[in-house]
Amino acid sequence: EEEEELVRQQRSEAKKLVKEFVKTMVKGRPFEVVLAKGGTRKVFCSLNRKLDTFRVRKNESDKQAREIKLTHIGEILFGTAEGSEVDNTDEHLLATLVLHTRETLTFRMQDTEERDKFVMCLAMFTDQAVKAGKK
């Protein structure tokens, strides 16, 4: 019974974590993108309400957004992609989206907890988008 309670508690915490992630990402939030030529740039990222498109804008008020369908994301990695030219000094803080086009987008997070949450939640929604697309 203690084990069941623990599982219930973990499930509840996981749901809360995902709910928080969704709320934050639908509103959008600043991220730091790591540039191939070195350095970083602040960007503003969000998810649409259907949770199937990741948007990247220069800043919050920018009307031009780069829209990436989650179904176009092949992998979401902890760290950098193999052969990437991105400065990986902070490898443990990086998360990389690898698109089907082989293009990569690497983000630097504030800590490993934020990185883990980003990778796990986005991977979950990417899987859901892929499954929904196959129906």
Side-chain angles (χ1 to χ4, degrees), residues 56-68:
V56 183
R57 298 190 304 227
K58 285 182 184 150
N59 54 54
E60 197 171 347
S61 55
D62 190 11
K63 296 289 177 236
Q64 290 289 97
R66 165 146 189 221
E67 300 207 337
I68 300 166

Side-chain angles (χ1 to χ4, degrees), residues 12-66:
S12 164
E13 283 172 28
K15 275 184 182 169
K16 204 160 70 179
L17 184 139
V18 170
K19 199 173 172 182
E20 249 171 55
F21 178 82
V22 169
K23 201 170 146 188
T24 302
M25 287 306 298
V26 168
K27 278 185 187 165
R29 56 161 283 217
F31 277 92
E32 222 179 318
V33 76
V34 184
L35 307 172
K37 57 184 178 277
T40 60
R41 180 189 312 144
K42 294 250 185 255
V43 292
F44 191 82
C45 299
S46 60
L47 281 171
N48 66 342
R49 289 197 183 283
K50 283 187 184 168
L51 306 177
D52 63 5
T53 305
F54 186 76
R55 295 189 181 113
V56 183
R57 298 190 304 227
K58 285 182 184 150
N59 54 54
E60 197 171 347
S61 55
D62 190 11
K63 296 289 177 236
Q64 290 289 97
R66 165 146 189 221

Side-chain angles (χ1 to χ4, degrees), residues 17-125:
L17 184 139
V18 170
K19 199 173 172 182
E20 249 171 55
F21 178 82
V22 169
K23 201 170 146 188
T24 302
M25 287 306 298
V26 168
K27 278 185 187 165
R29 56 161 283 217
F31 277 92
E32 222 179 318
V33 76
V34 184
L35 307 172
K37 57 184 178 277
T40 60
R41 180 189 312 144
K42 294 250 185 255
V43 292
F44 191 82
C45 299
S46 60
L47 281 171
N48 66 342
R49 289 197 183 283
K50 283 187 184 168
L51 306 177
D52 63 5
T53 305
F54 186 76
R55 295 189 181 113
V56 183
R57 298 190 304 227
K58 285 182 184 150
N59 54 54
E60 197 171 347
S61 55
D62 190 11
K63 296 289 177 236
Q64 290 289 97
R66 165 146 189 221
E67 300 207 337
I68 300 166
K69 292 269 177 221
L70 294 190
T71 53
H72 295 182
I73 298 173
E75 283 182 284
I76 302 169
L77 308 171
F78 293 101
T80 54
E82 212 173 295
S84 168
E85 293 174 17
V86 163
D87 171 16
N88 61 0
T89 313
D90 296 328
E91 181 82 25
H92 67 289
L93 297 176
L94 305 180
T96 300
L97 308 184
V98 182
L99 309 185
H100 289 306
T101 59
R102 304 313 305 154
E103 181 190 352
T104 60
L105 267 172
T106 301
F107 297 96
R108 178 184 286 129
M109 305 296 169
Q110 282 158 10
D111 53 43
T112 52
E113 191 183 328
E114 183 189 25
R115 181 210 59 191
D116 292 353
K117 195 188 314 184
F118 177 78
V119 171
M120 283 182 343
C121 292
L122 204 57
M124 192 176 75
F125 293 123

